[in-house]
Amino acid sequence: AHEFIKEKQWTQIGAISSNNMYGRSVMFQFMRIFDDSHSEEFMASHSEDLKLTSKNYIPINATMAEIKHILEPLKEGSTRLFLLFGLPPATLTSIFKVIHEEGLYGKGWTWLGLGLCTQETWLTQHGHEREDVLEAMSGFVCIQDPVSAAAATEL
């Protein structure tokens, strides 16, 4: 994920994870790597510092209203790159429904799914062929990332 972020020259990033033990462990690992990434070597390729602008936890069994309450404020901020990790498929589906309802997708919005799945596997296994979910996924990129793998092995 670091290489992808460097390539796109993003300067702001938000992180969203589940609030269970796994999600918090992945967030902890990400924060550790994020802090380490501010080394001179990493920052030499950036014209500005990469800033973590938000860190949110979503309950595993969150209702659509709870997810909306968490994601709605993202519209007002200037961050348009968000990492999603440690989220089960049902929660991820609800998140993308809210992303669609709130217009948090399309040109300028990027959602990185770290270690979550591939779009095709997730859609096939969970039957999410809804047009709103597919449309909201237009800015979604799945990346197999060592952050998620490291967190999974520590549990």
Side-chain angles (χ1 to χ4, degrees):
H2 285 109
E3 293 301 318
F4 186 72
I5 293 168
K6 284 190 330 189
E7 178 185 314
K8 299 296 182 185
Q9 298 180 341
W10 281 304
T11 58
Q12 297 179 351
I13 193 167
I16 300 171
S17 184
S18 63
N19 70 345
N20 65 5
M21 181 192 283
Y22 175 70
R24 289 186 177 277
S25 177
V26 174
M27 182 72 82
F28 174 78
Q29 291 292 329
F30 168 72
M31 293 304 299
R32 208 164 72 187
I33 290 171
F34 181 83
D35 290 342
D36 291 347
S37 73
H38 282 78
S39 67
E40 286 181 30
E41 179 183 326
F42 180 86
M43 296 315 296
S45 64
H46 286 78
S47 58
E48 300 177 40
D49 285 348
L50 180 63
K51 295 176 181 69
L52 180 65
T53 58
S54 65
K55 184 170 80 170
N56 295 289
Y57 293 99
I58 294 180
I60 292 293
N61 296 320
T63 64
M64 293 291 286
E66 290 171 318
I67 294 171
K68 183 176 182 174
H69 179 74
I70 293 167
L71 297 185
E72 194 173 36
L74 303 179
K75 288 194 305 192
E76 305 305 320
S78 58
T79 301
R80 296 294 181 259
L81 168 65
F82 296 92
L83 303 177
L84 298 169
F85 41 71
L87 297 158
T91 304
L92 195 58
T93 300
S94 297
I95 288 170
F96 276 107
K97 287 178 187 175
V98 172
I99 287 170
H100 186 267
E101 289 174 8
E102 295 299 315
L104 304 171
Y105 67 97
K107 187 173 180 157
W109 292 91
T110 302
W111 299 87
L112 296 177
L114 301 183
L116 291 174
C117 58
T118 63
Q119 293 177 24
E120 296 80 16
T121 301
W122 173 57
L123 290 171
T124 302
Q125 288 180 350
H126 301 283
H128 301 116
E129 297 176 3
R130 296 176 48 124
E131 288 299 316
D132 56 346
V133 172
L134 292 174
E135 188 175 355
M137 290 180 72
S138 63
F140 180 62
V141 178
C142 282
I143 296 175
Q144 186 58 37
D145 192 79
V147 172
S148 298
T153 59
E154 289 184 9
L155 294 178

